[in-house]
Amino acid sequence: FIWQVVKDRQGGLWLATKDAGLAYLSPDWKDFTNFTHVPDDADSLSSGRVTALLAGGDHALWVGGPDGQLDRLDLGSGDVEHMAPLLKLTPLGVTALAEAGKGRVWVGFHNGLGVFDGHALKRVNDPQLHGGVRWMTADSDGQAYVSPPGAGVLRVDAKTMKVTALQLAHSGEAGLETSQLSMHDGGLWRASHAGLSRLDAAGGQFNDVP
């Protein structure tokens, strides 16, 4: 079962799987490489279950998993750093990752959101996030766009941590449930159970895409 697919800057594809770790398809599309958890190998991934991926600007792949697990995989050397002791999220699982700028990473988990600077996780204190984070992406300024389950889309400022609920294009239960959030050509696109919409950045609301 594939949770997520991420393309790196060389054109390779990383696939997050439910029980088989990471699969990597090289840019020439000729073969796969597998990274997973190996018992008694401290240099392997923390878990074979990968629930979130981020191809960072620091030539690294951030890998989220159950029990607060977050690994940094160096794409040059293949070395793995285990960040879970610094996050202190156990037993909460990491559900989404996005770049926050200045070497920081947004970390979504089962009952909230935080920013990790490589040393500690600073949580965003807002009740709108207590339902957890299912989908997340970020713009070039590091602002996060977050979808809790069945609760529309929230924008979180990377500097002030202020949380703002965005106006949706579709009403009702189907419009509240996000299927995917993606940045494309500088714009935020959202798929919901009610259809496709695009964020009007100036107005702070989503507009329906016929």
Side-chain angles (χ1 to χ4, degrees):
F1 189 95
I2 298 173
W3 292 114
Q4 187 178 357
V5 180
V6 169
K7 183 171 71 172
D8 64 25
R9 297 188 178 190
Q10 286 71 43
L13 294 180
W14 294 88
L15 292 81
T17 74
K18 183 178 179 180
D19 293 308
L22 283 175
Y24 176 67
L25 180 60
S26 60
D28 58 16
W29 282 50
K30 289 185 177 179
D31 54 15
F32 279 94
T33 303
N34 181 245
F35 296 82
T36 189
H37 173 69
V38 179
D40 301 322
D41 184 355
D43 296 323
S44 67
L45 294 180
S46 296
S47 173
R49 175 166 294 189
V50 179
T51 55
L53 281 180
L54 170 65
D58 55 354
H59 198 60
L61 191 74
W62 293 86
V63 184
D67 296 322
Q69 293 164 355
L70 181 66
D71 294 338
R72 182 185 179 277
L73 173 62
D74 188 296
L75 298 181
S77 65
D79 293 339
V80 176
E81 291 182 75
H82 303 299
M83 303 296 184
L86 300 175
L87 256 65
K88 299 179 181 179
L89 284 178
T90 304
L92 302 171
V94 174
T95 56
L97 298 166
E99 288 200 81
K102 298 181 179 179
R104 301 181 302 164
V105 175
W106 290 107
V107 180
F109 42 94
H110 279 127
N111 68 358
L113 174 71
V115 176
F116 181 62
D117 63 2
H119 303 285
L121 181 74
K122 181 180 180 181
R123 296 198 184 200
V124 180
N125 185 21
D126 192 290
Q128 297 177 91
L129 292 163
H130 290 174
V133 174
R134 179 63 188 90
W135 299 97
M136 179 167 60
T137 188
D139 61 22
S140 58
D141 294 326
Q143 288 191 114
Y145 295 90
V146 177
S147 282
V153 181
L154 308 172
R155 178 168 52 204
V156 188
D157 189 277
K159 296 179 181 178
T160 65
M161 302 295 181
K162 180 182 178 182
V163 179
T164 304
L166 301 179
Q167 184 176 340
L168 304 178
H170 306 105
S171 60
E173 185 176 344
L176 288 172
E177 191 66 56
T178 301
S179 303
Q180 187 173 346
L181 281 177
S182 295
M183 296 298 302
H184 179 67
D185 286 344
L188 177 65
W189 293 74
R190 176 181 184 252
S192 75
H193 291 189
L196 181 68
S197 58
R198 187 176 189 273
L199 180 66
D200 177 354
Q205 66 181 39
F206 284 92
N207 295 321
D208 181 60
V209 177

